[in-house]
Amino acid sequence: MRWTRVALPSLTDQAERLVRLGVHDLAGIPAARLREVAARGPADGLLVTSAPASALAPLLRRAEGHEEKDGFVVEDMTDVDLFAPTVDVPDAPYAALGLDRGDAFLDRTPKESVPELLGAGRSPMTLAEGLHWVLQDPGVLQRNACFMTPGSRLRRADGSYDARTPALWISNGTGRDGRERRDAVKLGWCWWGNRHTWLGIASCGERLPV
């Protein structure tokens, strides 16, 4: 299977964008420290912090040329910050490399796709990685071409996983989203065992401490 190579701004440029947005404060890391780690990171990675998903979502925007609207978390995901990685990740900040939106997995369930990703030596993308990706490259989200982040799930008290899978897509402004949110970036969820023709299964190739 072929994976899409993604061109991102340099880590130093990414750090500057995060500082402008105040993400360093959300993550509890001084701006100078974030710039320092970015300067020694890989040339083609995604800089990922520990900022909570609920705080990052409102910072998301559509790509240039679209109306400026705040991103948002769906109303029935008030526990979004409890969705934690199910895969090993370095202490943040770290770099995620080899990002792929997962278009090859359109109309496939996370349940089916994650074992295949792992078998190919890749790792399902976490919600934090997906949010930081859209922050740095808003154009990665397109109508009918968005993605799930199955590397983050909510573990129940009994040790089992909640069936919701975090996903990022573009709101149609229907239902509880409200018309005013049409075309805004939406942090929502889909069932672990459901198929969606417009949601890929995002992944990365590796993660490196910086």
Side-chain angles (χ1 to χ4, degrees), residues 81-210:
D81 291 333
L82 299 180
F83 281 71
T86 61
V87 292
D88 291 335
V89 299
D91 292 336
Y94 67 89
L97 285 71
L99 309 183
D100 186 85
R101 192 170 61 183
D103 292 0
F105 293 93
L106 293 171
D107 208 24
R108 298 276 304 279
T109 71
K111 182 178 180 180
E112 295 168 335
S113 304
V114 168
E116 188 171 334
L117 286 169
L118 295 172
R122 294 185 61 81
S123 181
M125 186 173 288
T126 68
L127 177 56
E129 291 160 359
L131 289 164
H132 283 82
W133 191 7
V134 177
L135 277 176
Q136 300 292 353
D137 181 14
V140 72
L141 288 185
Q142 302 171 9
R143 280 284 178 197
N144 302 315
C146 301
F147 60 90
M148 292 187 245
T149 57
S152 293
R153 300 186 70 186
L154 175 63
R155 191 180 288 276
R156 301 190 183 103
D158 64 3
S160 64
Y161 283 114
D162 187 284
R164 292 172 295 168
T165 306
L168 293 163
W169 71 92
I170 301 165
S171 174
N172 285 325
T174 57
R176 288 182 292 180
D177 289 1
R179 291 182 182 179
E180 70 280 2
R181 284 175 167 165
R182 178 174 173 78
D183 291 328
V185 178
K186 176 177 179 175
L187 167 50
W189 58 270
C190 298
W191 297 119
W192 181 252
N194 279 10
R195 305 173 188 274
H196 296 276
T197 59
W198 46 277
L199 285 174
I201 307 295
S203 65
C204 69
E206 62 179 319
R207 301 175 176 93
L208 299 176
V210 290

Side-chain angles (χ1 to χ4, degrees), residues 63-103:
E64 187 176 348
H66 294 275
E67 184 179 354
E68 288 277 327
K69 292 185 178 181
D70 294 350
F72 67 99
V73 182
V74 293
E75 291 185 5
D76 54 358
M77 206 175 183
T78 56
D79 52 0
V80 65
D81 291 333
L82 299 180
F83 281 71
T86 61
V87 292
D88 291 335
V89 299
D91 292 336
Y94 67 89
L97 285 71
L99 309 183
D100 186 85
R101 192 170 61 183
D103 292 0

